[in-house]
């Protein structure tokens, strides 16, 4: 995207900023401890995710987190969000996760998580223009 990495990181880097750029999230409550734990509540109030930050590197514009509880059919979920500077003031965001799908829920798990990633990345892109 055509935005400097530091500008993108200022939008997505704070652990509870996810409520500002991930469309399904209506509320984020952070406990303020170290490592920080956040509770994400969907806009419809029907689902909540409890996630804890497991790593953060401000210099590399990245953080990693894991699910403590989630309505998704996965276990052992961990993910990393990272912003990488590119030439001409542009940047790239990578957001990837690993998990164990519940038995016979592989497709549902994959589709749900891909949908989350795509929605979030599209919203970030929209904030900075094409």
């Amino acid at each position: 995207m055509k935005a400097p990495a530091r500008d993108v990181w200022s939008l997505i880097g704070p652990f509870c900023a996810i409520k500002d750029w991930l469309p399904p999230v209506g509320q984020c409550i952070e406990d303020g401890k170290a490592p920080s734990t956040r509770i994400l509540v969907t806009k419809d109030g029907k689902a909540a995710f409890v996630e804890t930050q497991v790593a953060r590197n401000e210099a590399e514009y990245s953080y990693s987190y894991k699910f403590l509880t989630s309505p998704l059919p996965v276990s052992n979920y961990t993910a990393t969000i990272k912003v990488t500077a590119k030439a001409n003031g542009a940047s790239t965001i990578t957001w990837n996760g690993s998990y164990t799908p519940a038995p016979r829920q592989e497709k549902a798990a994959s589709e749900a998580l891909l949908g989350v990633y795509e929605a979030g990345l599209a919203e970030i892109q929209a904030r900075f223009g094409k």
Side-chain angles (χ1 to χ4, degrees), residues 6-54:
R6 71 178 173 278
D7 293 353
V8 177
W9 184 245
S10 70
L11 172 71
I12 71 172
F15 197 45
C16 244
I18 194 166
K19 73 183 181 309
D20 300 325
W21 57 265
L22 187 58
V25 176
Q27 185 178 18
C28 180
I29 303 149
E30 197 169 358
D31 69 0
K33 296 179 182 174
S36 188
T37 297
R38 66 186 177 194
I39 301 169
L40 305 179
V41 181
T42 56
K43 285 183 178 168
D44 63 10
K46 293 182 180 178
F49 296 75
V50 180
E51 303 172 345
T52 191
Q53 188 170 255
V54 295

Side-chain angles (χ1 to χ4, degrees), residues 33-102:
K33 296 179 182 174
S36 188
T37 297
R38 66 186 177 194
I39 301 169
L40 305 179
V41 181
T42 56
K43 285 183 178 168
D44 63 10
K46 293 182 180 178
F49 296 75
V50 180
E51 303 172 345
T52 191
Q53 188 170 255
V54 295
R56 172 173 283 275
N57 187 324
E58 291 291 336
E60 293 184 3
Y61 303 131
S62 72
Y63 72 81
S64 300
Y65 63 97
K66 67 179 181 178
F67 284 174
L68 299 180
T69 62
S70 156
L72 299 180
V74 300
S75 58
N76 304 313
Y77 177 87
T78 59
T80 299
I81 294 176
K82 181 177 174 104
V83 182
T84 305
K86 297 292 182 190
N88 301 321
S91 58
T92 299
I93 299 168
T94 53
W95 186 9
N96 55 39
S98 63
Y99 58 90
T100 304

